[in-house]
Amino acid sequence: MAVKVKKPKLAPPPYKLNSFPDDFAERLAKKIIVLLATKKKPSISGKEWEQLFAECIDANWQSSNVGLRDVYKDTSCWSAKTVEGPKNVSKKETVRLISGRNNTGFSFDIDVTGSSDPQDVGRRVLEIWNTRVNDTKKEFTYLRQVVLIRSKDYKEYIVFETSITTYDSEEYTFTWNEHNNIEGRRKSDNKHMFTWQKEGKQFSIFENVPSKNIHIKLKKLPEPLNDERILEIVGYEDDSKSDWFSV
């Protein structure tokens, strides 16, 4: 007779995949404006996007060296990625997501050369990725990527989510390209899915931009706050500088 045990009830994700909370877009737009106002030249780094996203969904931020759990909340975690798009970001159909260094030399003690069998190399590269994903699943139930596409002028932004998953190497064909990198294409439709760079060991995954996404348009960029204005905001005065620092 089989032993019956109660299975633990897992907390659901905070929202359905790619269906962000109602106030998400407004919160993100305001945080982008604040961030840009503190910079002399517009920029949003990967780490800054991780923090912005975490704050917008009331989650925790802890940048990960593995890159699969930059943001986490209960049983869910996110890998946050930034991509530069064209001026009209809505025209971006596919994005290349840099997904970490998959070093076959470190993981398998194999020196890859231009004459190496690309199918064998591709299988090992995916095995490294799959191991990272499976290791993260031991701690989190729901794994997602959240992508920010920004326009070159920092006025438009697209945000969307995809699930982080493992890949069966038997479903892909791997070949060397003209840049001496390995490309992986899905056998069913020849879609370019992966690129692995032999020199830097960088692994990239190509994702389609879903038609359902968050699209934020800033009508204007904020004027950067100068040093004097920032000091005024924080209440700094030369007469009380000893309250702030010593030299």
Side-chain angles (χ1 to χ4, degrees), residues 100-234:
R101 294 181 74 250
N102 288 11
N103 191 336
T104 54
F106 175 80
S107 298
F108 298 102
D109 198 23
I110 293 176
D111 183 25
V112 175
T113 67
S115 60
S116 298
D117 177 8
Q119 198 66 32
D120 180 64
V121 177
R123 177 182 62 80
R124 294 178 186 276
V125 168
L126 287 189
E127 189 173 343
I128 296 171
W129 167 262
N130 291 343
T131 299
R132 287 192 181 129
V133 172
N134 288 329
D135 285 348
T136 306
K137 284 183 175 179
K138 294 175 183 177
E139 187 175 0
F140 297 97
T141 305
Y142 307 99
L143 281 61
R144 300 177 178 180
Q145 289 185 125
V146 59
V147 182
L148 175 74
I149 308 174
R150 57 169 180 77
S151 62
K152 291 183 178 180
D153 62 3
Y154 288 87
K155 285 187 176 181
E156 286 198 52
Y157 304 85
I158 294 286
V159 182
F160 69 91
E161 282 184 324
T162 63
S163 292
I164 293 176
T165 186
T166 56
Y167 299 97
D168 182 353
S169 61
E170 295 299 318
E171 297 178 0
Y172 304 93
T173 299
F174 295 92
T175 58
W176 290 103
N177 65 17
E178 66 273 18
H179 302 296
N180 207 26
N181 300 324
I182 286 181
E183 291 184 358
R185 292 183 176 272
R186 193 161 53 198
K187 292 180 179 179
S188 61
D189 57 6
N190 201 38
K191 182 181 184 299
H192 185 189
M193 293 290 295
F194 317 110
T195 293
W196 181 76
Q197 295 174 281
K198 180 173 70 70
E199 298 303 324
K201 318 303 181 187
Q202 192 178 80
F203 176 59
S204 297
I205 300 174
F206 291 81
E207 294 279 2
N208 291 332
V209 179
S211 57
K212 178 184 177 183
N213 54 58
I214 298 290
H215 189 179
I216 295 173
K217 298 180 181 180
L218 299 185
K219 294 183 178 180
K220 59 181 179 180
L221 295 180
E223 287 293 329
L225 296 173
N226 58 37
D227 295 351
E228 290 74 19
R229 178 60 179 145
I230 293 174
L231 290 172
E232 179 185 346
I233 290 172
V234 300

Side-chain angles (χ1 to χ4, degrees), residues 56-67:
C56 287
I57 64 168
D58 300 315
N60 304 290
W61 171 68
Q62 183 179 1
S63 192
S64 167
N65 59 347
V66 175

